[in-house]
């Protein structure tokens, strides 16, 4: 007997509607809920280590629960928040998820506006990197395989560390220290500054050209994995992610690039949390990038395009 089309189509429509509603809700869902729903099994944490003298100079380390004695690759993560907000504890889901899969993850706080503005705002991320190179071996990490990752403003921080060798040199970090870097929804080319929250951070309207990661691209840049939501309404994905990827490739730098459709600016990083991996192939791409030292990632699954 032939089943009427409306009978089998209705559950599919309902499932699609629920998935769309969940994706929309996650754009405003508290990060604490993602932490609550991401299990800590498979990872262990050392919290509140100081990499500098101030209250914001703290970092948490997430380590694989069973590393087998072999040093593991290291990923230093910077969160976003318009350089005005953010707490490392909010991103425990990033550390837990990646540590459970064999990566030593460092989530660092850094000073925010109005305490600091450009260019001083980059000193703390650079100092956190220097700390990792000196100390991460004591936590099971391999300082010879150190990667940077950031989301939104944090992706800007990661980009500047990866691309501007002068910044690393000021903190005693060799230019070859960064094995590769991962940018999620990052602003890399945003002059003139349009975001009202970011304008004073970058001294608008007198923002220096040196503040733009896109102006520091060279052949010496490490491999990059650049991901941005196709319909990002906050940071233009084509101008920022696409433009930076184009310049890096033009200079012979290995770049992996993706624009998933089921996420927005905020939900892109949320796709690293356990209950929301299905939103985008971010986790698989990050793991592959780190495991292969920046070789080209596999093509994302069709449903994410």
């Amino acid at each position: 007997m032939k089943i009427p089309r409306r009978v089998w189509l209705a559950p599919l429509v309902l499932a699609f509607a629920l998935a769309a509603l969940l994706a929309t809700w996650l754009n405003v869902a508290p990060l604490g809920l993602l932490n609550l729903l991401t299990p800590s099994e498979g990872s262990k944490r050392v919290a509140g280590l100081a990499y500098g003298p101030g209250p914001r100079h703290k970092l948490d380390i997430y380590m694989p629960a069973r590393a087998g004695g072999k040093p593991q690759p290291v990923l230093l993560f910077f969160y976003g928040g318009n350089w005005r907000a953010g707490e490392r504890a909010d991103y425990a889901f990033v550390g837990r998820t990646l540590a459970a899969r064999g990566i030593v993850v460092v989530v660092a706080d850094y000073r925010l506006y109005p305490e600091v503005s450009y260019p001083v705002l980059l000193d703390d991320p650079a100092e956190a990197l220097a700390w990792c190179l000196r100390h991460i071996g004591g936590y099971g990490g391999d300082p010879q395989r150190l990667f940077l990752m950031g989301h939104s403003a944090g992706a800007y921080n990661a980009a500047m560390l990866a691309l501007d060798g002068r910044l690393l040199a000021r903190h005693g970090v060799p230019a070859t220290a960064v094995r590769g870097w991962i940018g999620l929804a990052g602003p890399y080319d945003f002059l003139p500054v349009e975001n009202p929250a970011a304008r004073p951070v970058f001294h608008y309207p007198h923002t220096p050209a040196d503040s733009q990661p896109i102006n520091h691209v060279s052949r010496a840049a490490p491999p990059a994995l650049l991901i941005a939501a196709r319909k990002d309404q906050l940071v233009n994905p084509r101008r920022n992610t696409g433009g930076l990827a184009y310049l890096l490739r033009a200079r012979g730098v290995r770049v992996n690039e993706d624009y998933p459709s089921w996420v927005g600016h905020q939900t892109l990083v949320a796709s690293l949390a356990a209950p929301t991996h299905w939103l985008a192939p971010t986790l698989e791409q990050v793991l592959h990038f780190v495991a292969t030292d920046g070789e080209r990632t596999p093509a994302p699954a069709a449903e994410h395009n």
Side-chain angles (χ1 to χ4, degrees), residues 21 35 58 61 77 107 135 141 153 161 181 184 187 258 274-275 297:
L21 180 62
N35 290 335
K58 298 289 177 60
I61 302 177
F77 176 78
V107 183
H135 300 288
L161 292 182
W181 71 283
L184 306 179
D258 189 30
T297 58

Side-chain angles (χ1 to χ4, degrees), residues 166-189:
R166 299 171 303 173
L167 177 60
L168 298 185
R170 289 201 300 270
H171 292 268
V173 177
T176 57
V178 178
R179 196 70 169 258
W181 71 283
I182 302 159
L184 306 179
Y188 313 119
D189 178 21

